[in-house]
Amino acid sequence: MQNEASASVSQKTRRAIRPCDSCRKRKSRCVINPPTGRCTVCELREDVCKFREAVPKRNQVHPPVRIRNGASSSPRPGGFRAIMPEQASSLDSMSPGSGRNIIPHTSGLVESLAPVQPGNSLNISSSLSGLVSAVLPTEMGGHDAEASLGLASNNFAELYGLTSDMEPILMRHRPYLSPNQEFRLESHSIRRVLQRDQEMEYPVTFHVVQDDKAIGYHLHQSEHDLIEACVRPNGPKLIDLYWRIMHPSFPILYKQGFVEKYSRSYRSVSAPLLGAMYLIALGWWDYDRELSNRSMPDVTNLRKQTLLAIQNSYHCPKIDCIEAMLLLLQCKPEDPLNPDHTWNWGCTGQVISIGQALGIHLDASAWSIPGWERGLRKRVSWTVYMQDKWTALAHGRPSHLNDDDWMVNSLELSDFDSRGSGDDGETRVDNQSGAAELVHMAHLTQILSEVMQTFYTLKASRNQDTSSLYAQAIPLLGMLDGWRSSLPASLQMDYQVVSRLCPNGYLHLSFFAVKITLLRRLIRSTALEPLCLDVDILTHTRQIAHETAQAAILFVSSLRPDYLEAFWYFASPFGFSLIGSFITLLLVTSRSDPERSLWRENLNRYLWTLRLMSKACEPMKYAVNRLEGAILKGMEHALSVNLDDLFTVAASPLGATDYTGIFDSFEDLTSLDLSNFDWLSAQPAPFG
């Protein structure tokens, strides 16, 4: 008894302590530090600890309510948690974006309603809709008012998959509360966003949990300050640079929502996203008049703090966590000449894992979420898809994403938010290009996925029959040509806007990377058994390869400064390197001296072009280092001798004479026009 009494007194004492004004607004625990007289939260935030506002009155306890059958019912703690499935099918929910908040003063009203009889659920739903909404508090303005699923301010949501222990069929029988369609439990909520999943008789549902239940939640308070300290007082300038240069080139964020939050405080936005935006904006530091005269912040420390914030965000994943990781992967590597490929691939895997937990692989076009979030999810989904396929290509890894498990509709221009994207005179990138570039890049990536699935899986790579590969390649080559011919005028290489950077370069470089990836598979097969005997196929394959390589060289040599200084997709260094590698492949598989001389000269000129432009283009610096320091290193002797010696009579069932005869028809391909490269002829040859 004495213990119970002391516990009761202790509990009353704790309840009697008045929280400061800031803690009351945040609804956080207020712990006073005796030496200073301020609460620990205010000390951490460096805020003034005030006790000026009047203490709000506590909710009154409602008396028992008489229901129709004459029984009485007292209000129960938890409000809607006491509602049984047979009592309601669609009740109006609590405050948007919350998984735990309870509608004030409504539990008695709800329990006063009669149990729902079969066939009467619609009437009770309609009655409750008007009744509950009448007592709901006024919602906040802006994008938070629509109860976001993936960017809620105080909770996070994770998908219940088809094979989880939460059987989809059972999910049909929950009493979801409208308008957010949530079923509230003691520790979490279940939210239904779609009533019929892929036209099946079960819903798409998410597990919704409060942020403060997440591991590492206490670390969130300091992350913003640590990141901001890396760039202070240049944070607003860097954000402005991001909107002026990066966002028009790569518009994946919901700008209006971010601007609304950031205008209140940098602490209002996601810490990982804030750090990633700062980090990528540093690439255009000199494009701001004021910043160009200041010392650049410590990039290494900023990257470190951003990575720590990203890793901590895994415990309460949201869409802005994925955005931060995608932007971080677009940033220049710490050592441009020695990028960490394994880390990039691992980070890409984490992006996909978190994205799948948030349902980015599903079509959200009909979900009961805000309209702006549907577009945001679609943009983020396709950006993750692109990240996976291009990283797999660049590093030679199996793709994480299977197209059979990808249900997102094709990206369209209507999926981008055009509000606030006008040119204010300070924008440094043409605003018309970015959205169209992402749309066409997503379509190109779908073709790339088909190329990799057809030619580069471990099973598919065992097929070295050139005739078979050629038959599979022709339709894909047609798709690539059709894709390029569909590009609008604003995405062509001759498009130019005065005093604006043009990011079109990475789109065309990506086209050449996909086409070369397809053609190198065919060229590779011609040098391996079984040797192809169809001269027409060999001739046509070689001709397409010659034309593609020449066009790629011309593309690189014609890049203007407004291209070189613009945004380049993260895979661009690989694209520049791949062109040089493909030229070398054509060189070592040449079957005549004139053709060999042609490609040796083209390789020299291409390397020289990269070296000249690498001062203004970081991806080219990586490519020239990769080619000269790794790909071509140790091959000097092989590129200056007669390669016919590599194909011996023992390796060829046809004999050396017959095998060479097959390639004699390629001699007429060596009379290619090199007039476009005359401006380079006076330069010293760097190789060979």
Side-chain angles (χ1 to χ4, degrees):
M1 294 295 293
Q2 185 176 359
N3 292 339
E4 292 178 1
S6 61
S8 176
V9 172
S10 175
Q11 184 178 18
K12 290 181 179 179
T13 301
R14 286 198 302 270
R15 288 181 177 175
I17 296 177
R18 174 183 176 181
C20 70
D21 299 343
S22 299
C23 288
R24 180 183 292 109
K25 291 179 180 178
R26 287 191 296 267
K27 297 182 179 180
S28 61
R29 186 178 180 184
C30 187
V31 180
I32 302 298
N33 187 2
T36 63
R38 301 169 62 195
C39 76
T40 55
V41 177
C42 289
E43 286 184 342
L44 180 63
R45 292 173 171 265
E46 298 181 357
D47 291 339
V48 178
C49 198
K50 299 181 297 184
F51 297 80
R52 299 175 182 174
E53 297 181 4
V55 179
K57 294 182 180 180
R58 296 184 180 276
N59 296 340
Q60 297 179 356
V61 178
H62 292 274
V65 180
R66 184 72 58 180
I67 55 179
R68 293 183 182 179
N69 59 7
S72 62
S73 174
S74 299
R76 304 173 184 173
F80 286 131
R81 289 199 300 269
I83 300 173
M84 301 302 292
E86 65 270 12
Q87 288 180 297
S89 62
S90 180
L91 306 179
D92 278 348
S93 79
M94 304 137 195
S95 59
S98 172
R100 297 174 60 202
N101 294 341
I102 302 168
I103 299 179
H105 313 300
T106 58
S107 56
L109 293 172
V110 172
E111 293 188 1
S112 68
L113 296 170
V116 179
Q117 302 299 325
N120 197 35
S121 60
L122 181 60
N123 293 334
I124 185 117
S125 174
S126 302
S127 301
L128 284 171
S129 177
L131 183 61
V132 176
S133 60
V135 295
L136 281 175
T138 304
E139 297 179 355
M140 294 176 59
H143 63 284
D144 288 334
E146 300 182 76
S148 167
L149 177 69
L151 283 179
S153 59
N154 59 357
N155 62 55
F156 60 95
E158 297 172 300
L159 176 70
Y160 284 125
L162 296 179
T163 60
S164 72
D165 55 352
M166 299 295 288
E167 170 57 45
I169 293 296
L170 302 181
M171 291 296 188
R172 298 184 304 180
H173 303 283
R174 309 282 185 186
Y176 299 104
L177 311 176
S178 63
N180 293 345
Q181 295 297 299
E182 286 191 52
F183 169 64
R184 309 297 175 90
L185 297 169
E186 184 69 27
S187 59
H188 66 280
S189 300
I190 300 175
R191 180 168 174 178
R192 180 179 66 187
V193 296
L194 188 65
Q195 195 160 359
R196 291 167 56 87
D197 184 8
Q198 303 182 70
E199 299 304 316
M200 301 294 182
E201 292 297 333
Y202 49 76
V204 177
T205 54
F206 282 78
H207 174 80
V208 182
V209 185
Q210 290 290 97
D211 287 346
D212 56 14
K213 299 291 185 182
I215 297 174
Y217 176 74
H218 65 284
L219 299 175
H220 293 178
Q221 304 297 329
S222 60
E223 289 172 347
H224 295 83
D225 296 332
L226 291 173
I227 290 174
E228 188 69 20
C230 295
V231 299
R232 187 176 287 119
N234 304 313
K237 285 289 184 181
L238 288 173
I239 293 298
D240 182 58
L241 265 181
Y242 181 92
W243 296 128
R244 287 164 49 195
I245 297 181
M246 182 59 190
H247 185 70
S249 308
F250 199 64
I252 64 171
L253 303 185
Y254 178 48
K255 181 177 180 180
Q256 183 182 2
F258 184 94
V259 170
E260 288 178 2
K261 292 181 178 180
Y262 190 78
S263 64
R264 296 194 292 268
S265 170
Y266 65 83
R267 294 192 182 103
S268 300
V269 302
S270 161
L273 182 58
L274 183 69
M277 293 173 70
Y278 285 159
L279 198 60
I280 203 167
L282 288 174
W284 291 281
W285 177 269
D286 293 333
Y287 276 73
D288 184 275
R289 296 183 183 91
E290 295 183 19
L291 294 181
S292 60
N293 295 319
R294 302 176 185 175
S295 299
M296 186 175 291
D298 184 353
V299 178
T300 301
N301 189 33
L302 176 59
R303 189 186 301 272
K304 174 185 175 182
Q305 297 301 332
T306 302
L307 281 171
L308 290 174
I310 287 176
Q311 291 168 3
N312 190 39
S313 70
Y314 296 169
H315 298 296
C316 52
K318 301 185 182 183
I319 294 179
D320 48 25
C321 167
I322 302 177
E323 294 170 333
M325 298 172 74
L326 290 171
L327 291 179
L328 185 66
L329 287 166
Q330 304 302 320
C331 293
K332 296 178 182 178
E334 238 175 323
D335 183 358
L337 302 184
N338 186 29
D340 194 342
H341 290 166
T342 301
W343 182 87
N344 289 338
W345 184 234
C347 188
T348 298
Q350 290 176 327
V351 172
I352 295 169
S353 299
I354 295 173
Q356 289 173 331
L358 300 185
I360 58 92
H361 58 295
L362 303 178
D363 174 30
S365 59
W367 287 7
S368 56
I369 57 177
W372 62 264
E373 188 176 349
R374 296 191 198 107
L376 175 63
R377 279 182 170 267
K378 201 170 181 182
R379 298 194 300 272
V380 170
S381 294
W382 280 108
T383 308
V384 170
Y385 183 90
M386 290 158 48
Q387 186 71 37
D388 173 63
K389 300 302 179 182
W390 284 97
T391 309
L393 172 67
H395 301 334
R397 306 284 184 263
S399 173
H400 290 302
L401 288 174
N402 188 333
D403 285 346
D404 290 339
D405 291 320
W406 188 257
M407 300 300 294
V408 186
N409 290 337
S410 296
L411 193 63
E412 305 292 343
L413 288 175
S414 58
D415 298 316
F416 292 81
D417 184 13
S418 59
R419 291 176 295 178
S421 62
D423 192 337
D424 58 1
E426 291 295 328
T427 303
R428 289 292 175 255
V429 177
D430 177 35
N431 283 315
Q432 304 302 317
S433 314
E437 277 174 346
L438 274 185
V439 169
H440 284 84
M441 188 66 175
H443 295 169
L444 179 63
T445 306
Q446 289 177 284
I447 302 176
L448 170 63
S449 179
E450 187 70 23
V451 169
M452 296 175 66
Q453 184 67 28
T454 304
F455 297 103
Y456 286 97
T457 64
L458 292 180
K459 290 184 178 180
S461 62
R462 299 177 63 183
N463 179 19
Q464 299 300 337
D465 184 352
T466 304
S467 298
S468 172
L469 296 174
Y470 176 84
Q472 293 176 299
I474 290 300
L476 291 171
L477 289 170
M479 292 172 62
L480 283 169
D481 292 339
W483 175 89
R484 195 179 193 188
S485 62
S486 69
L487 294 178
S490 62
L491 298 185
Q492 299 295 340
M493 287 303 295
D494 58 356
Y495 181 75
Q496 187 174 14
V497 178
V498 178
S499 300
R500 295 291 182 270
L501 299 179
C502 185
N504 293 356
Y506 85 81
L507 190 65
H508 290 262
L509 179 62
S510 301
F511 164 78
F512 284 114
V514 177
K515 194 167 185 179
I516 287 174
T517 297
L518 174 56
L519 291 172
R520 69 192 291 205
R521 184 72 171 84
L522 299 181
I523 298 298
R524 182 188 303 171
S525 70
T526 63
L528 301 172
E529 295 183 355
L531 298 175
C532 180
L533 303 179
D534 192 324
V535 176
D536 290 338
I537 290 179
L538 292 171
T539 303
H540 190 224
T541 299
R542 199 78 181 182
Q543 182 178 6
I544 298 175
H546 276 241
E547 293 172 352
T548 302
Q550 292 284 2
I553 295 171
L554 178 60
F555 157 75
V556 174
S557 64
S558 63
L559 289 174
R560 304 187 307 258
D562 54 319
Y563 287 117
L564 299 178
E565 290 284 325
F567 166 71
W568 287 91
Y569 194 52
F570 81 97
S572 297
F574 163 78
F576 287 118
S577 179
L578 181 61
I579 294 174
S581 178
F582 187 57
I583 296 171
T584 309
L585 176 64
L586 294 176
L587 170 57
V588 300
T589 56
S590 298
R591 301 307 301 163
S592 66
D593 288 336
E595 185 186 8
R596 189 175 302 109
S597 298
L598 168 70
W599 291 119
R600 184 180 294 113
E601 183 180 359
N602 277 313
L603 180 59
N604 290 335
R605 290 175 173 173
Y606 182 68
L607 290 172
W608 180 249
T609 301
L610 290 182
R611 187 178 289 111
L612 289 176
M613 295 184 172
S614 63
K615 299 296 183 182
C617 185
E618 202 75 39
M620 288 188 178
K621 184 181 296 184
Y622 165 83
V624 72
N625 179 74
R626 180 78 168 171
L627 285 167
E628 295 184 343
I631 296 176
L632 303 178
K633 198 71 173 180
M635 292 182 57
E636 294 85 352
H637 65 287
L639 300 179
S640 59
V641 299
N642 189 343
L643 297 182
D644 288 340
D645 296 337
L646 298 178
F647 301 92
T648 62
V649 177
S652 173
L654 302 177
T657 304
D658 293 337
Y659 183 74
T660 304
I662 294 176
F663 290 89
D664 287 341
S665 59
F666 294 147
E667 294 184 4
D668 61 334
L669 299 177
T670 61
S671 57
L672 298 176
D673 182 14
L674 296 178
S675 58
N676 293 320
F677 304 97
D678 288 344
W679 67 276
L680 288 171
S681 59
Q683 306 294 344
F687 179 82

